[in-house]
Amino acid sequence: MGKVDLHFQPTVPVFDGNMNLGRPHDRRVTVHTAEGTLEAMKKAGVGRALVHHPHAAFRDSHDGNGWLMELIEGEPAFVPQFVCNPSFDNLDEFAAEVKEYGVRSVRLVPTYHMYPFRDWVLGKWLEWFEDEDLPVWIQVDADAANSVPFDPSAVHDTIKDHPNLRFILSEFNYQIALWVYPFLRSLPNVYAECSKFISTNWVPELIEVSSVDRVLYGSGFPTGPLAPQLYTIHRSGLSDEHLRAVCSGNLERLLNGA
């Protein structure tokens, strides 16, 4: 076995691309406050985090998004991400709140919100996301309880019809990597967020099937730990330029519309 650095700290700026902030409805987590999350981030060497509220993803998007903004008020280390349910939410109301708070990305959770990922559900929403240049996180949750199965074929076909919109696959795991790899090869406007992907040599493999510009560090904190994926990325033989891209640069570019 190789030597493990117990005192590891990242050597480049880190911007976490997938973090929950707030108390979930169905489980206990060790950290659910802004203060506790900031402390954990400091310990792991994470400077900023893209955060969404679990209540928005698993229950009510409007209330959860509002609670998120209350939690992060005045804290620049947190960048808000709003969740929406296109099968239920009002697009005009959601658009107004996104603009009011300057939100620069959105999250879709089709498995929990139980809608098919098709244009007859999503069309107007995807057009608006594209008009506003908002990147779209798609939470995969292939094995989630109380949800419908994730349909990669429907997601692939819908994304293919929107080549100018950027999509990020979030929270996929090694069990579904067999379709994730060809998915990334097929669609150049799709990125990979790696919080739940644990596999041998996953960093160079994801880069090979997509590109170094389409891989994002994420933790899934607090249900996932902050440090292990960072450690793996740093030990994957990346150049300093590529390390910076995966750990923060790619996410910054997405949120800035570049």
Side-chain angles (χ1 to χ4, degrees), residues 69 79-80 82 95-105 134 255:
M69 298 311 300
V79 177
F82 275 8
E97 292 173 349
V98 165
K99 293 180 179 179
E100 177 184 356
Y101 292 111
V103 172
R104 289 300 308 146
S105 71
L134 294 173
L255 299 181

Side-chain angles (χ1 to χ4, degrees), residues 61 75 177 190 235 238:
S61 55
E75 180 45 66
V190 175
R235 297 295 181 267
L238 301 183

Side-chain angles (χ1 to χ4, degrees), residues 2-258:
K3 183 179 179 181
V4 177
D5 181 5
L6 298 178
H7 303 288
F8 166 77
Q9 283 286 296
T11 60
V12 297
V14 178
F15 191 172
D16 192 319
N18 179 32
M19 187 178 289
N20 290 271
L21 181 60
R23 191 188 298 274
H25 75 282
D26 61 346
R27 71 189 73 179
R28 290 187 177 183
V29 292
T30 56
V31 178
H32 60 81
T33 65
E35 295 78 10
T37 302
L38 288 170
E39 183 179 349
M41 290 167 60
K42 182 178 180 180
K43 183 177 180 181
V46 176
R48 290 191 293 165
L50 185 66
V51 293
H52 64 278
H53 200 292
H55 190 82
F58 304 140
R59 280 296 182 264
D60 185 287
S61 55
H62 177 268
D63 286 350
N65 293 335
W67 296 345
L68 175 70
M69 298 311 300
E70 293 175 3
L71 285 169
I72 70 172
E73 184 177 6
E75 180 45 66
F78 294 130
V79 177
Q81 181 178 78
F82 275 8
V83 180
C84 63
N85 181 351
S87 68
F88 179 81
D89 293 341
N90 180 283
L91 175 56
D92 291 336
E93 293 177 359
F94 181 80
E97 292 173 349
V98 165
K99 293 180 179 179
E100 177 184 356
Y101 292 111
V103 172
R104 289 300 308 146
S105 71
V106 296
R107 175 174 290 259
L108 301 177
V109 194
T111 53
Y112 278 98
H113 291 163
M114 299 187 179
Y115 58 81
F117 205 94
R118 295 290 189 181
D119 262 327
W120 54 269
V121 177
L122 296 162
K124 291 183 178 179
W125 290 78
L126 297 180
E127 291 172 5
W128 182 75
F129 297 154
E130 186 171 344
D131 288 342
E132 298 299 318
D133 199 16
L134 294 173
V136 180
W137 268 243
I138 305 173
Q139 188 163 322
V140 175
D141 277 325
D143 300 315
N146 301 316
S147 66
V148 298
F150 188 86
D151 184 351
S153 294
V155 177
H156 177 280
D157 293 346
T158 301
I159 289 177
K160 189 175 181 180
D161 290 336
H162 297 272
N164 297 319
L165 187 55
R166 295 161 299 162
F167 296 87
I168 297 84
L169 290 182
S170 183
E171 300 195 8
F172 62 90
N173 59 38
Y174 73 94
Q175 294 174 312
I176 59 174
L178 290 179
W179 69 254
V180 168
Y181 283 4
F183 198 101
L184 292 169
R185 290 191 186 99
S186 175
L187 298 167
N189 58 325
V190 175
Y191 296 66
E193 178 274 305
C194 63
S195 56
K196 289 189 177 180
F197 191 40
I198 302 172
S199 179
T200 304
N201 295 323
W202 69 262
V203 178
E205 288 178 357
L206 278 182
I207 291 173
E208 181 181 357
V209 301
S210 56
S211 75
V212 72
D213 297 325
R214 292 164 55 199
V215 179
L216 311 178
Y217 162 71
S219 67
F221 186 84
T223 55
L226 284 163
Q229 293 291 55
L230 269 181
Y231 187 91
T232 300
I233 293 168
H234 275 70
R235 297 295 181 267
S236 296
L238 301 183
S239 67
D240 185 71
E241 178 184 2
H242 287 178
L243 191 62
R244 288 176 178 271
V246 172
C247 289
S248 61
N250 294 339
L251 179 54
E252 290 174 351
R253 192 179 68 254
L254 278 169
L255 299 181
N256 289 331

